[in-house]
Amino acid sequence: MARTIKGSITIEGVEVPVSNPDKLLWPEAGITKLIYLQKLAELSPYLLRYCQNRLLTTIRYPGGIHGKFFYQKNAPDPLPPFVQTAEHEEIRYVVMNSLPVLLWLGNLAAIEFHPSLHYVGEQLPCEWMIDLDPTLEEEPRIMEAAFYVGEILTSLGLSSVPKTSGATGLQIIVPIEYGVTFDELRLIGHFVARYVTEKHPRLFTIERLKKDRGDKIYFDYLQHYGGKTLAAPYTPRARQAASVSTPLAWEEVARTPSPADFNLLNIGQRLRERGDLLEHVPPQSVELILQHLRKPGIR
């Protein structure tokens, strides 16, 4: 149970400082820092699950979402004693394993949480995440594109969960059995990307350079490397609607919702009603797909 004293929150036996609680972080949504911390506490059982024991990059907006921002990879100084860190390639990352650490980061106006795709001290991916990245700032076809990719994954015998990025894009998460390498996931990703691009050439591209994509949606199969990050499920985003990266059911995708429909003001109610949709998909083997792709003449 949390209690507030002298500009701080005491939770789980830890005193977390709170500064400028009335500072508006999302002016259009009317969300102050204090409200934000309350929403983070509401999200914490879900957000912490997907940041647990991972290298964390945050994006901080000290003046609110319309002010200057910066990416924080190296842990800020001074560090409270309850904050754990881990070093990777000479960077000292925060490891966000508890609610006090989440609220401490929230007080620093860390609005977006981007965990590594692998666990601390390990080199194998935690899951397979396909990133669909629109070239256009407003892309009404993103849900249609995701649906096509979902159909292909189903045809490969894989269950998947789409999630809004909270911004303009969408990711599709495939829980996988541990032991697959990043190279192997990129191999499968390239196969799926090439297939969907050939089948829907007006919608998808695998062109890495944005200037050469036209108005197409980029199927990013190259994202899977150690140290790379993607927006965590349930992370808030620095958008006017205070949108939250939210896992969806495929029938919801078919109704083409807007990412702004899922935000800090309503995500709690959704989670109480539907729970974590990602939690219901068990890890799956991709070995048969890899065996097929390794055959001569395939790829």
Side-chain angles (χ1 to χ4, degrees), residues 94-261:
V94 168
V95 181
M96 192 171 71
N97 284 347
S98 69
L99 177 55
V101 176
L102 173 59
L103 296 181
W104 170 73
L105 287 168
N107 182 61
L108 295 177
I111 282 178
E112 301 192 8
F113 300 86
H114 297 248
S116 61
L117 302 173
H118 58 87
Y119 294 120
V120 171
E122 300 189 13
Q123 297 179 334
L124 297 178
C126 308
E127 65 272 304
W128 179 24
M129 198 179 298
I130 296 169
D131 189 24
L132 301 181
D133 183 17
T135 304
L136 303 176
E137 180 61 29
E138 296 293 332
E139 179 51 88
R141 304 171 297 170
I142 189 66
M143 294 293 169
E144 177 189 4
F147 200 84
Y148 291 145
V149 176
E151 288 182 326
I152 293 169
L153 294 172
T154 299
S155 73
L156 293 172
L158 295 172
S159 297
S160 59
V161 180
K163 80 171 181 73
T164 65
S165 71
T168 58
L170 190 142
Q171 286 97 38
I172 300 172
I173 300 175
V174 183
I176 53 170
E177 292 181 356
Y178 192 73
V180 182
T181 68
F182 282 109
D183 286 343
E184 288 171 332
L185 285 184
R186 285 194 299 275
L187 176 63
I188 302 173
H190 180 246
F191 170 74
V192 175
R194 192 178 65 182
Y195 180 87
V196 75
T197 302
E198 290 174 356
K199 192 171 183 181
H200 303 283
R202 295 183 180 179
L203 190 57
F204 293 97
T205 181
I206 54 175
E207 173 57 57
R208 294 182 67 183
L209 297 178
K210 196 167 187 176
K211 67 181 181 64
D212 296 330
R213 296 181 197 167
D215 64 350
K216 298 177 183 178
I217 295 169
Y218 177 47
F219 188 119
D220 187 356
Y221 66 91
L222 295 170
Q223 185 67 19
H224 276 274
Y225 279 96
K228 290 275 191 178
T229 66
L230 279 171
Y234 306 110
T235 179
R237 299 302 298 266
R239 313 289 287 193
Q240 285 191 17
S243 49
V244 172
S245 181
T246 304
L248 306 176
W250 281 112
E251 59 266 25
E252 291 181 293
V253 172
R255 296 196 290 269
T256 64
S258 166
D261 294 342

Side-chain angles (χ1 to χ4, degrees), residues 16-33:
V16 181
V18 177
S19 58
N20 302 314
D22 297 326
K23 175 68 182 178
L24 274 171
L25 296 181
W26 284 270
E28 289 82 4
I31 296 176
T32 63
K33 184 188 286 187

Side-chain angles (χ1 to χ4, degrees), residues 45-87:
Y46 310 94
L47 179 56
L48 288 174
R49 180 179 299 159
Y50 299 105
C51 294
Q52 190 86 12
N53 200 30
R54 306 199 196 192
L55 307 169
L56 184 68
T57 297
T58 61
I59 310 180
R60 291 173 56 184
Y61 290 78
I65 65 165
H66 298 303
K68 293 181 179 179
F69 65 91
F70 59 95
Y71 286 78
Q72 181 103 54
K73 287 184 176 287
N74 269 302
D77 287 323
L79 273 181
F82 59 85
V83 178
Q84 292 179 298
T85 62
E87 288 204 16

